[in-house]
Amino acid sequence: MFEGKIIEWPYRVDYAREKDIETDVLILGGGIAGCWAAIAAAGKGARVVIFEKGATITSGAGGGGADHWGGAVTGNPRSSITAEEYAEAELRGGRYGNGIMAYIQGRESYETLLELEKMGGKVRDTDDVFKGSEFRDEKTKILYADDYTNGIIIRVWGTTFKPALYKECKRLGVKIYDRVMSTSLLNEDGRQGKRVVGATGLNMRTGEFMVCKAKATILANGRPSEVWEFTAEQAGSHTHNFGEGGSTIAWRAGAEFTMMEKTTGSEGGLGSGGFGSNRNTWFACNTVDDDGKEIPWLDRDGNILKTVSERYRPALGQKFFTNPRANTPYEYVCPSPAPIMPQLRKGEFNLPLYADLPGMPELERRAIFGLMVGQECKTKLRYKVLCDAGFDPDKDLAMMGSFLTPGLFGYQSIGKSGFPAVNTWGGRRGLGPGSVGGVVADWNLKTSLDGLYAAGDCLFGSYGHAMAATCGKYAGRNAVEYLFKAGEVVIDQKQVEAEKARVYASTKRREGRDWKELYYGINKVMQLYCGNFKTERLMHMGLMFLEDLNEAAASELYANNPHKLGRTLEALNVLDYAQAIMHASLARKASSLHLSFYRTDYPEIDPPEWNKFITIRLENEQVKVGELPLDYWGDYARNYKVSCQL
Amino acid sequence: MKKESQEKIYAEPNTPTPSRPVIINPDVCTGCNICVERCSMDVFIPNPEKGKPPIILYPDECWYEGHCVFSCPTKGAIKFNYPLIMQREPWKDKVTGKLFWVGMKNPPSPNTKPPV
């Protein structure tokens, strides 16, 4: 509605129109992973097409900026850590991580950053703002975060990155189709599980259908995140948009997934997450209570650290530390603020808590607030709004918006959607940021489907900007290598027609249910039947209800313009993804601390016989369960050498 | 006594929340539509009248990345309208203990120091 009138859709819509294109390498998703894959592939002479649902110059979780660039080990003059040591550390406790991606990141992160600099990204302190600071390398002018001794994480001007990548893509002749959502993968003979020969797309402005034939396809379109908790409104910056359904197209095509039963943090209420905290972007800021009483910082053994400087150094006898995340083994645990729950309960500390930026050394303060908060994708907006409203980090304490976070105080909070976020074991129910399940890939970053490569958050265990960038490059190189041996590509017209019918079904109805309602329907089933108390019976009920939703919802949804049509397809993707999660959850007959997975019918936590990846995939529309050993990737260096295409 | 004319009352549906994630100044905005092209969620549509400000069609889908504001070439044309859900997490002057927040009455002057 606009001034009380409904106006016409401004783009010319033609649902019957189909555009057929053909290329060497088709990249689905123009985020960080997708752009780097495109640059690598085009740089080797391949013809490259990108389908991007948003606008490639700004899209994706890393589109707006970045504060950290991680995994900078190999080639980094400051680091004495090997890529293998880095990969091992990234696996955390339990070893449910993606060793392949972590190793690739370790090997290529530093040099990739230098390549980005050549494209126009700002990666070092060329204006000498931080000259003389502890975290700056005087020779290279590179700034470090977290562990200053090893310099694995680099502080960067991430707002310059996406525009530089976009420019490089254009320079290399990459053909970018913005506002095009990938709707399905096409298989040889139209058969689930067979070689991927391209993909279909929907233009979310014109409704046009796109069919792209490609010898190699790279999946780089993220994954759903709102499977348990969706907010239709009150969005603010709490919502996540990781693709809302991206990798589901690979599920439908028959690709293998793993770790789908893992869950991670709920947003935990309306508090603004990491702002004003002392971790991640704000590591290692002073924290004080409402009376100005400082919360001491402790080393990994619980000894109080007397200086700010010590927070950024490994402990005596510790080689390096990783950035703070749950379940980190002792070997890599970083300094952290003292847990103060008992004192809070006794009234010895008073809420709220504040980030004490004025109490930090000046250059550290400017690095945390001016550089990192000012450059990170989501917080840079807060930076501007707060400064416009008079916030001054030199004199003001910033309230810690996350003091309601369940993990922090074991507090039962309300999830962002209004449903209670009941927590057990530091309980996690959502699919927020942090590595969760996804597509499985081998040392070529090839999925279980021939012709389909993957990079970024669509993969299991993926996390972070630099991992997406390095793995994007790596997948791009491997996709090009595949071109030399790939046979001719033939699209199955029946599969295309079936997909078209599926895509446009909701445009044939004038009324029915809106896409948002489907999200709530999915959330309801997941919260009740795949929540904190999982049992065989409950999850079978859940599966039945999801299948029932599929039948009911698919025929009730309506979309009256291409934008809403895209949103409708996203919701349907999330429904498929939820079913995959339910199957994986049924398959794991044990509880697991590392996967935040708890079954009351199999309460034993991480029994040794269940220390493995559970894999799932569709074959003839039936779910096939399999497994992979932890460390299935074998010898890091040897396998990398064979498959890196360098 | 002056007879007041009866104001019309409409059957208006609920507005999406938030309804205005950004505010465009129609006197300054040139209708270049760069913001429309930069938004990753495609929440804007161009105004049917050329040169007029774009319309925020799906403000409920805005997730506060701010590409629209950061990419606008015309100073003063568009600004963030911080939603209430993100407000009331104050900051405190370390010396005076006074609280400040976005949306307060009598706010302090902007901090114009450059970030780095």
Side-chain angles (χ1 to χ4, degrees):
Chain A
M1 297 275 278
F2 174 61
E3 290 177 350
K5 303 188 285 262
I6 293 233
I7 57 177
E8 248 187 271
W9 188 247
Y11 309 108
R12 214 177 130 261
V13 174
D14 190 349
Y15 292 134
R17 202 162 93 196
E18 178 180 318
K19 187 181 170 90
D20 292 337
I21 58 177
E22 182 261 331
T23 193
D24 296 330
V25 181
L26 170 62
I27 299 175
L28 305 178
I32 296 299
C35 282
W36 276 102
I39 289 165
K44 288 194 151 214
R47 292 172 304 149
V48 180
V49 163
I50 291 178
F51 278 1
E52 162 55 52
K53 191 168 65 176
T56 302
I57 192 171
T58 54
S59 68
D67 54 348
H68 283 124
W69 180 278
V73 297
T74 304
N76 181 348
R78 180 161 288 219
S79 170
S80 62
I81 297 164
T82 65
E84 175 156 346
E85 283 173 315
Y86 175 75
E88 286 291 295
E90 284 297 296
L91 294 177
R92 309 287 161 163
R95 307 187 65 73
Y96 287 103
N98 193 318
I100 295 175
M101 291 181 89
Y103 186 78
I104 292 170
Q105 180 182 5
R107 288 291 293 254
E108 302 191 24
S109 173
Y110 191 77
E111 75 183 47
T112 303
L113 187 64
L114 300 182
E115 283 173 33
L116 180 54
E117 186 178 38
K118 290 206 187 73
M119 293 178 206
K122 181 168 171 167
V123 314
R124 61 185 99 213
D125 184 26
T126 45
D127 303 311
D128 291 329
V129 173
F130 298 98
K131 194 173 165 69
S133 71
E134 235 191 313
F135 50 83
R136 180 175 121 138
D137 181 280
E138 281 313 310
K139 197 153 141 242
T140 60
K141 300 194 180 187
I142 286 197
L143 308 177
Y144 301 106
D146 289 24
D147 177 339
Y148 295 164
T149 302
N150 294 284
I152 310 173
I153 301 182
I154 296 174
R155 284 166 152 152
V156 289
W157 281 256
T159 56
T160 61
F161 291 179
K162 204 68 195 312
L165 292 173
Y166 179 74
K167 199 168 101 194
E168 184 69 1
C169 282
K170 300 297 266 184
R171 188 184 76 81
L172 290 169
V174 173
K175 187 85 183 78
I176 297 174
Y177 290 94
D178 280 336
R179 311 297 178 193
V180 173
M181 171 189 170
S182 313
T183 70
S184 78
L185 292 172
L186 296 170
N187 306 86
E188 198 158 60
D189 303 327
R191 290 263 313 275
Q192 193 173 59
K194 292 202 81 172
R195 177 190 169 196
V196 170
V197 292
T200 58
L202 168 78
N203 185 306
M204 284 176 67
R205 287 182 169 182
T206 65
E208 180 181 56
F209 192 70
M210 301 209 38
V211 180
C212 181
K213 193 161 98 160
K215 278 195 171 158
T217 302
I218 303 179
L219 195 72
N221 54 2
R223 56 168 171 78
S225 63
E226 296 182 303
V227 185
W228 276 267
E229 291 182 317
F230 169 74
T231 42
E233 299 180 324
Q234 302 243 356
S237 66
H238 296 269
T239 50
H240 289 107
N241 183 302
F242 290 125
E244 236 36 72
S247 56
T248 320
I249 64 175
W251 171 250
R252 283 200 292 272
E256 189 176 55
F257 282 64
T258 193
M259 233 164 75
M260 293 290 276
E261 67 276 23
K262 182 179 177 187
T263 58
T264 183
S266 168
E267 279 288 278
L270 301 181
S272 60
F275 200 80
S277 77
N278 43 44
R279 34 181 43 219
N280 200 20
T281 304
W282 292 71
F283 187 90
C285 193
N286 283 350
T287 305
V288 298
D289 81 345
D290 198 43
D291 299 315
K293 188 159 149 191
E294 208 170 296
I295 297 178
W297 275 74
L298 311 175
D299 69 10
R300 63 180 176 167
D301 297 311
N303 303 310
I304 294 181
L305 297 173
K306 299 204 181 58
T307 64
V308 169
S309 189
E310 287 168 279
R311 304 173 195 170
Y312 295 98
R313 302 285 172 182
L316 207 61
Q318 182 183 42
K319 187 164 186 191
F320 65 101
F321 65 77
T322 53
N323 72 21
R325 258 184 271 161
N327 306 326
T328 303
Y330 176 77
E331 197 180 340
Y332 312 113
V333 169
C334 65
S336 62
I340 58 165
M341 194 58 201
Q343 291 97 319
L344 265 177
R345 290 213 160 103
K346 286 194 264 179
E348 286 166 18
F349 278 98
N350 282 299
L351 294 173
L353 304 179
Y354 294 85
D356 179 18
L357 284 164
M360 294 293 280
E362 191 206 339
L363 291 179
E364 199 63 69
R365 172 166 70 247
R366 296 188 74 187
I368 290 174
F369 194 71
L371 179 54
M372 296 175 86
V373 172
Q375 289 289 320
E376 202 274 338
C377 176
K378 298 309 294 293
T379 58
K380 74 180 191 212
L381 182 151
R382 273 181 213 271
Y383 177 93
K384 178 164 168 55
V385 171
L386 260 52
C387 290
D388 284 350
F391 176 79
D392 183 350
D394 293 336
K395 39 187 261 312
D396 295 318
L397 307 170
M399 195 185 93
M400 182 189 281
S402 59
F403 68 83
L404 287 176
T405 301
L408 203 56
F409 301 118
Y411 181 79
Q412 178 165 332
S413 74
I414 305 298
K416 66 180 180 199
S417 60
F419 292 116
V422 175
N423 296 292
T424 56
W425 301 92
R428 277 92 170 273
R429 301 184 309 114
L431 278 186
S435 65
V436 284
V439 176
V440 181
D442 64 14
W443 273 101
N444 297 105
L445 286 185
K446 176 178 112 45
T447 67
S448 64
L449 303 179
D450 286 342
L452 184 68
Y453 296 80
D457 280 355
C458 59
L459 283 149
F460 84 92
S462 175
Y463 180 73
H465 188 120
M467 186 178 271
T470 49
C471 292
K473 268 173 65 183
Y474 190 100
R477 295 195 301 266
N478 270 280
V480 170
E481 193 58 30
Y482 175 69
L483 295 177
F484 296 116
K485 40 184 181 196
E488 274 318 296
V489 170
V490 181
I491 302 277
D492 183 278
Q493 268 312 117
K494 286 219 290 286
Q495 189 179 32
V496 171
E497 293 310 314
E499 174 63 6
K500 264 174 121 163
R502 187 191 77 90
V503 164
Y504 294 105
S506 57
T507 63
K508 311 267 192 274
R509 297 170 204 118
R510 286 280 142 260
E511 56 185 18
R513 281 192 218 273
D514 198 58
W515 60 273
K516 291 182 182 181
E517 202 179 338
L518 178 56
Y519 272 98
Y520 281 119
I522 299 166
N523 286 176
K524 173 90 184 213
V525 174
M526 296 307 278
Q527 292 198 17
L528 259 58
Y529 307 104
C530 198
N532 280 324
F533 303 101
K534 297 178 170 71
T535 68
E536 194 80 8
R537 238 181 269 190
L538 274 176
M539 290 191 281
H540 275 292
M541 279 175 81
L543 208 51
M544 174 190 75
F545 283 131
L546 287 175
E547 283 161 6
D548 179 61
L549 249 186
N550 203 10
E551 280 177 35
S555 58
E556 286 181 325
L557 294 171
Y558 83 108
N560 48 23
N561 65 46
H563 178 103
K564 293 180 88 151
L565 177 57
R567 295 280 174 255
T568 304
L569 293 172
E570 285 171 347
L572 288 169
N573 277 345
V574 176
L575 179 53
D576 282 347
Y577 204 78
Q579 289 176 291
I581 290 173
M582 199 68 87
H583 280 288
S585 302
L586 276 162
R588 179 168 289 273
K589 298 196 191 306
S591 294
S592 169
L593 170 69
H594 304 290
L595 298 172
S596 291
F597 181 79
Y598 304 101
R599 290 185 63 152
T600 52
D601 54 355
Y602 292 100
E604 202 188 340
I605 310 269
D606 293 307
E609 68 272 21
W610 280 94
N611 289 347
K612 55 191 173 183
F613 290 110
I614 304 287
T615 65
I616 51 169
R617 64 185 171 86
L618 284 174
E619 188 184 289
N620 296 321
E621 302 301 338
Q622 296 302 306
V623 175
K624 290 275 177 263
V625 176
E627 58 184 61
L628 279 169
L630 297 178
D631 309 325
Y632 73 86
W633 41 80
D635 185 296
Y636 291 111
R638 193 170 54 220
N639 286 308
Y640 177 85
K641 186 167 175 182
V642 168
S643 312
C644 64
Q645 314 305 345
L646 285 171
Chain B
M1 246 189 351
K2 212 165 150 187
K3 186 170 180 192
E4 306 281 336
S5 55
Q6 186 77 11
E7 200 187 295
K8 278 205 169 165
I9 304 296
Y10 292 94
E12 197 178 301
N14 287 334
T15 44
T17 310
S19 58
R20 288 195 306 169
V22 290
I23 296 176
I24 299 178
N25 186 335
D27 300 323
V28 179
C29 171
T30 63
C32 72
N33 290 335
I34 285 179
C35 53
V36 178
E37 295 312 307
R38 290 284 186 273
C39 177
S40 54
M41 294 300 284
D42 218 14
V43 311
F44 294 96
I45 50 170
N47 197 308
E49 278 183 66
K50 218 167 143 68
K52 287 248 175 107
I55 298 159
I56 303 168
L57 188 60
Y58 298 116
D60 47 308
E61 292 180 11
C62 172
W63 67 302
Y64 293 83
E65 281 181 284
H67 296 302
C68 49
V69 173
F70 289 121
S71 66
C72 178
T74 310
K75 196 174 158 83
I78 186 172
K79 64 174 185 194
F80 294 122
N81 181 27
Y82 220 47
L84 296 181
I85 195 179
M86 287 164 71
Q87 290 188 26
R88 292 181 180 74
E89 283 174 9
W91 55 93
K92 181 157 71 166
D93 185 301
K94 189 169 183 178
V95 170
T96 67
K98 193 157 184 265
L99 285 181
F100 302 90
W101 58 94
V102 175
M104 70 187 292
K105 276 204 297 259
N106 306 316
S109 355
N111 168 15
T112 52
K113 286 186 255 182
V116 282

